[in-house]
Amino acid sequence: MAPPPAPQTMKERILHTADKLFYLQGIRAIGVDTIAAEIGISKRTLYNHFPSKDALIVAYLERRFVHASPSDKPPAEQILATFDSLERRFAAKDFRGCPFVNAVAELGPTDRAVKKIAIAFKESRRLWFRDRLTELGVANPDALATQLVLLVDGSIAQDLVRDDPAMARAAKEAATVLLRNAGVDVGGDAKPAQGRKRPPR
Amino acid sequence: MAPPPAPQTMKERILHTADKLFYLQGIRAIGVDTIAAEIGISKRTLYNHFPSKDALIVAYLERRFVHASPSDKPPAEQILATFDSLERRFAAKDFRGCPFVNAVAELGPTDRAVKKIAIAFKESRRLWFRDRLTELGVANPDALATQLVLLVDGSIAQDLVRDDPAMARAAKEAATVLLRNAGVDVGGDAKPAQGRKRPPR
DNA sequence: GCCTAAGTACACAGGTCTGTGTAATCAAAA
DNA sequence: TTTTGATTACACAGACCTGTGTACTTAGGC
């Protein structure tokens, strides 16, 4: 399969580079000069496409706001696959936590625009979980969806400081318990994780 | 009961103020001038107590590294009380996430000293959970402890962006399910959260 | 009264940052 | 060929940052 095409327009090239640097090194740590130099353009060109660094930051976060693509797998599988995907991302050396959480942590509570995008993103993922749980006919999809996003964000935060992709596996196991507890069929009783061994009947 | 005593020594006053400003507004957002001005001392005095801003940052994080105080409550109660305590902290208007996660997010992967403290803190909390679970005789205390810290950090990250203390309740409910699944007695069957209603026997 | 330690006031060096102004260049469309 | 729009090179303003140098004041201990 073909590699992802190189960004075409100047605006896309700027966003692509800003994304890489902002995400890996932090928004406040990267100046617009650095971004322009990395692309090999003048600072003036950058400011011809974005009126301010703030605008560039907002565009960076909006570009990170990718919506989940539809899948024809069963909902329970989709939910658990989320954690496998997380584990793969943790294993990549260029993973540095959730860009939205990082931006809010970095830019403080004053930056309303950034916070708004972060809230929207978190909520969209929660709703994605909720929709899958509704398909499964779970009794309280809202509450369970919230618990699942806690596991997602918890494993991201833990991996950010510990660099340990196993956090995603731990989250997946916890999610499996929560799903099974809600009556969802998540495959064999292979990992009981019980306090006492259950005698085979 | 008496209010907490005002910091006595100059070093403590500096740390107290640095903590407040670093935590609420971000480490990079606060200059040493701002800290000195807030206390009403000269910048020179600050630099007489800390050789550099980096040293002040490290001292700030080390001061945040509070170890859990021993309790005589039963272990299961201690574990669940963690989430009640979290909820109270979320409700306070000056809560701004985990200072260690925020510092790592802000200062980037290069700052080894900061990352080291953050890892140590996260691990100390995981071990605290593990010790309580060991007291409870749980089969796999290590794995379950990791899952519990995911819920803690997940709720912190979610509250940071959403300002919703209910995240702590959601984490507590998930923790209850995980504990019960591991054979821990966590009180009545009051909240079954089951997929299908269980007929009373 | 005198000495020492701590703090103050304040300037400043040297660096970074965002954002702008200006004149020159280049390429493609008309 | 001429025009037009994008881009470049580069200087610069104004702000902020960390860290230092220096001379002055103040308060306690001897």
Side-chain angles (χ1 to χ4, degrees):
Chain A
M1 47 187 80
Q8 297 290 332
T9 73
M10 176 79 357
K11 206 160 190 167
E12 276 165 7
R13 287 173 66 195
I14 294 170
L15 275 174
H16 173 82
T17 305
D19 181 281
K20 186 173 65 177
L21 297 175
F22 280 163
Y23 179 65
L24 286 181
Q25 295 181 235
I27 294 172
R28 278 207 151 99
I30 295 296
V32 289
D33 300 85
T34 310
I35 297 172
E38 171 85 7
I39 316 176
I41 64 172
S42 72
K43 187 166 56 165
R44 208 69 185 85
T45 303
L46 193 151
Y47 274 104
N48 282 344
H49 288 276
F50 296 92
S52 66
K53 187 185 178 182
D54 279 358
L56 183 56
I57 294 170
V58 168
Y60 149 64
L61 290 176
E62 277 169 351
R63 212 178 74 114
R64 278 269 169 174
F65 197 148
V66 284
H67 297 81
S69 46
S71 162
D72 50 1
K73 281 194 293 187
E77 270 184 46
Q78 285 185 54
I79 290 174
L80 290 178
T82 302
F83 295 95
D84 298 331
S85 152
L86 260 188
E87 186 176 359
R88 281 191 297 274
R89 286 166 57 200
F90 289 177
K93 66 179 185 311
D94 63 345
F95 183 82
R96 276 251 316 142
C98 168
F100 302 98
V101 171
N102 291 359
V104 171
E106 210 175 336
L107 270 18
T110 27
D111 200 323
R112 288 287 303 145
V114 164
K115 196 152 189 178
K116 194 172 168 183
I117 300 175
I119 292 176
F121 178 77
K122 293 298 177 202
E123 181 63 4
S124 86
R125 191 157 53 190
R126 200 186 72 83
L127 292 180
W128 182 87
F129 276 127
R130 196 195 60 175
D131 290 348
R132 300 291 84 70
L133 293 168
T134 304
E135 293 176 42
L136 288 168
V138 159
N140 197 341
D142 254 299
L144 188 46
T146 300
Q147 296 175 9
L148 290 177
V149 300
L150 294 187
L151 290 172
V152 169
D153 279 336
S155 62
I156 291 175
Q158 282 283 330
D159 178 78
L160 175 65
V161 318
R162 301 170 76 111
D163 294 310
D164 185 358
M167 292 300 137
R169 298 189 76 83
K172 186 181 184 181
E173 278 159 33
T176 305
V177 171
L178 295 181
L179 287 173
R180 189 175 289 141
N181 175 262
V184 175
D185 179 21
V186 285
D189 226 34
K191 290 187 177 178
Q194 284 286 122
R196 286 165 231 112
K197 283 219 170 86
R198 190 187 295 168
R201 34 185 89 167
Chain B
M1 47 188 79
Q8 297 291 332
T9 74
M10 177 78 357
K11 206 160 189 166
E12 276 166 6
R13 286 173 67 195
I14 294 170
L15 276 174
H16 173 82
T17 305
D19 181 282
K20 186 173 65 176
L21 296 176
F22 280 164
Y23 179 64
L24 286 182
Q25 295 182 236
I27 294 172
R28 278 206 150 101
I30 295 295
V32 288
D33 301 84
T34 310
I35 297 172
E38 171 86 9
I39 316 176
I41 63 172
S42 72
K43 187 166 55 166
R44 207 71 186 81
T45 302
L46 193 151
Y47 274 105
N48 282 343
H49 288 276
F50 297 92
S52 67
K53 188 186 178 181
D54 279 358
L56 183 56
I57 294 170
V58 168
Y60 150 63
L61 290 177
E62 278 169 350
R63 212 178 73 115
R64 278 270 170 174
F65 197 148
V66 284
H67 297 80
S69 47
S71 162
D72 50 1
K73 281 193 295 187
E77 269 184 47
Q78 285 185 54
I79 290 173
L80 290 179
T82 302
F83 296 94
D84 297 331
S85 152
L86 261 189
E87 187 176 359
R88 279 191 298 274
R89 286 165 56 201
F90 289 177
K93 68 180 183 311
D94 62 347
F95 184 82
R96 275 251 316 143
C98 169
F100 303 98
V101 171
N102 291 0
V104 171
E106 210 174 336
L107 270 19
T110 28
D111 200 323
R112 288 287 304 146
V114 163
K115 195 152 188 176
K116 195 172 167 184
I117 300 177
I119 292 175
F121 178 77
K122 292 298 177 202
E123 181 63 4
S124 86
R125 190 157 54 190
R126 199 187 72 83
L127 292 180
W128 183 86
F129 275 127
R130 195 194 61 175
D131 291 347
R132 300 291 84 70
L133 293 168
T134 303
E135 294 176 41
L136 288 168
V138 158
N140 196 340
D142 254 299
L144 188 47
T146 301
Q147 295 175 10
L148 290 177
V149 299
L150 295 186
L151 290 172
V152 169
D153 279 335
S155 62
I156 291 175
Q158 281 283 330
D159 178 78
L160 174 64
V161 319
R162 301 169 76 111
D163 295 311
D164 185 358
M167 293 299 137
R169 299 189 76 84
K172 187 181 184 181
E173 277 159 32
T176 305
V177 172
L178 295 180
L179 288 173
R180 189 176 289 142
N181 176 261
V184 175
D185 179 20
V186 285
D189 226 34
K191 291 188 178 179
Q194 285 286 121
R196 286 165 231 111
K197 283 219 170 86
R198 190 187 295 167
R201 35 183 89 165

